[in-house]
Amino acid sequence: MKKLQNFILVILLLTIGLLEGIAQDAVEIIKRMEDRMRGTSSYVEMTMTTVRPRYTREISMKAWTKGENFSLILITAPARDKGIAYLKRFREIWNYVPSIDRMIKMPPSMMSQSWMGSDFSNDDLVKESSTIQDFHHKLLPSQTVDGLECFVIELIPKPESSIIYDKVKIWVTKGNYLQWRIENYDEMGELVNVIKMSDIKTLGGREIPTRMELTPMDRKGNKTIITYQNARFNMPVEDNFFTVQNLKNVR
């Protein structure tokens, strides 16, 4: 009987170790992906095109990041939106609106709302949540997407997190760890939207996808496209650049 108990204990320990190893592998893949896409710091110039059945709207912006804790997005065009800025500083999200000269601290309830009238949510771009800390991770069988072999990782939000989706799946290319596809699901298990990356180019000394297209599943004819024109990585940037005081002055 004791031998049987010891055998069962060994099997349980091996199973737990295997599951922890798989989870760690998934986390390591995401860490490598984020390092590839953002580095320790980044600066990007990009254009966002919001496509609707009756119109198309385009805005230009600049974005700075430092690790997971800091990011700042500045709208540079068109004229009516110029100067609007968003700041992430740890768990706080701030929005500056120059037309009323007002700084707004965004509550978690606003993270699911549309970002600048696009199909992206505030959390998709400003990201209050952490891809590493706020999810449980599971490595799924690999898949080939657009001719590229990819890791597939399932992310389930932790109960204490304020994630707007109930499940996220991420495809990461093998070898160079590029984020290549994202699927977001609701609480019913229905697919909410798909984000596809493409057009790999060398920007800032590294190859990255320079086009990101989000298609919502419930709004036919709608999509939002972000294209990168310029990028720099791992440049010096102080923490005090990412402050509420600097939000209205950044250019």
Side-chain angles (χ1 to χ4, degrees), residues 158-201:
K158 293 180 179 179
E160 66 274 16
S161 66
S162 56
I163 312 299
I164 65 173
Y165 302 113
D166 268 46
K167 181 174 73 174
V168 178
K169 291 173 70 176
I170 298 178
W171 281 253
V172 180
T173 61
K174 293 187 176 183
N176 51 4
Y177 294 93
L178 299 178
Q179 184 173 269
W180 199 240
R181 180 184 174 96
I182 303 172
E183 292 182 355
N184 294 307
Y185 294 81
D186 63 17
E187 67 278 3
M188 302 299 293
E190 297 291 332
L191 182 60
V192 177
N193 59 51
V194 176
I195 304 174
K196 297 180 181 179
M197 285 68 171
S198 60
D199 293 354
I200 297 174
K201 297 179 182 178

Side-chain angles (χ1 to χ4, degrees), residues 6 26 33 193 207:
N6 289 338
M33 176 199 77
N193 59 51
E207 287 189 334

Side-chain angles (χ1 to χ4, degrees), residues 44-48 59-63 73 76 125 226-230:
V44 178
E45 295 172 6
M46 51 192 166
T47 301
M48 183 175 76
I59 68 171
S60 299
M61 49 190 167
K62 301 176 181 179
I73 300 175
T76 57
L125 288 188
I226 293 178
T227 55
Y228 292 7
Q229 287 84 40
N230 187 28

Side-chain angles (χ1 to χ4, degrees), residues 24-53:
Q24 183 59 49
D25 286 344
V27 170
E28 184 61 30
I29 291 166
I30 291 176
K31 285 181 177 178
R32 292 191 181 191
M33 176 199 77
E34 292 192 340
D35 180 66
R36 181 73 177 184
M37 299 295 293
R38 295 186 313 192
T40 56
S41 63
S42 69
Y43 166 77
V44 178
E45 295 172 6
M46 51 192 166
T47 301
M48 183 175 76
T49 305
T50 302
V51 178
R52 297 292 181 260

Side-chain angles (χ1 to χ4, degrees), residues 85-102:
Y86 292 82
L87 169 70
K88 173 188 175 179
R89 185 174 174 85
F90 298 100
R91 292 288 182 170
E92 293 185 351
I93 308 295
W94 293 84
N95 173 213
Y96 174 63
V97 184
S99 60
I100 57 175
D101 193 23
R102 185 181 175 189

Side-chain angles (χ1 to χ4, degrees), residues 94-140:
W94 293 84
N95 173 213
Y96 174 63
V97 184
S99 60
I100 57 175
D101 193 23
R102 185 181 175 189
M103 205 79 68
I104 302 167
K105 186 177 181 181
M106 300 173 65
S109 59
M110 290 185 65
M111 299 314 292
S112 62
Q113 295 181 11
S114 168
W115 191 81
M116 295 296 297
S118 72
D119 296 297
F120 287 97
S121 69
N122 286 316
D123 197 51
D124 287 328
L125 288 188
V126 185
K127 281 207 173 294
E128 178 189 40
S129 58
S130 164
T131 313
I132 301 296
Q133 301 297 328
D134 293 328
F135 291 90
H136 296 292
H137 309 82
K138 181 180 179 181
L139 190 60
L140 303 179

